[in-house]
Amino acid sequence: MRSFRKKSVLTVAFCAAMLTSSLGSAYAAVNLEPINAFFNRGVSFVLNGERWKPTDANGKALNVVYYEGANYLPARALAEALKIPIEYDAAAQTIYIGSKPGAKTPIFAAPMEIDNIYAILSRASADTLVNGVSYQEVLKIDQYGDVYFTIDRKYKRLVLDAAVVSPGEHEVDVSLYNASDLAGNAADTVLEKHTVSPEDDSTRMSFNVEGLEKIRIHVQSPNLNPYIYARILDTSYFDNGETASP
């Protein structure tokens, strides 16, 4: 047991079945190699200061595998405990831990809560025609508004497109806050702020949301003007931080 304690616990995927893979005999013949390993039932874990036991999707306890002096953990159980997204692409035989390269999630496809009577999600043609360009859906904010997105640390960036429409004549501030239940007093601290001008057809903004579980986007005139006529456009998206197209 002393040797177990001296070895680092490696976070690797050791069991393809845990990621619901389906392997044919040809693949197995080329890529799978039998090993002589052991279940190590003597290892216990403390995750972020609390006792933790790895389990599968049905809550069944999973054991650590001990092989050649190292302990191996099931990748999915650990990633989910750390709130890191994990996905298995069976066709490509690739496990993605964290964001998939190039993947984008449209802003209105993310879990969303609107907390203001002046902020309305709309598909009406009168609202989705924004400065001469038609969109399928917009968030209409005529005075001020807050919208919350639950992102569970899945993304690094929010690329947000917004505009001010007629008769709006004031600049609009778009501010990012940490809305996690654990944010405490930090929930009132602006993490980033960008400005949308009524002189532009639309403005693209980039917010760093890496490591955040839940965010709040607050939209309001910097001078507290009552009517702003702002629109958040459905071309906005969350992604893993690649450079936004102009």
Side-chain angles (χ1 to χ4, degrees), residues 170-171 173 220-226:
H170 305 293
E171 288 188 338
D173 281 344
Q220 188 167 357
S221 163
N223 298 320
L224 302 182
N225 293 298

Side-chain angles (χ1 to χ4, degrees), residues 2 4 6 43 52-53 60 66 86 90 104 114-115 123 125 147 149 159 163 182 190 201 208 220 230 233 237:
R2 286 197 299 270
F4 290 178
K6 293 180 181 178
V43 171
W52 173 73
K53 292 183 178 181
K60 182 180 177 181
Y66 181 76
I86 183 168
K104 296 180 181 180
I114 300 173
D115 186 25
R123 290 178 176 267
S125 58
V147 56
F149 295 96
V159 176
L182 302 177
V190 177
D201 291 336
N208 179 10
Q220 188 167 357
L233 310 176
Y237 57 88

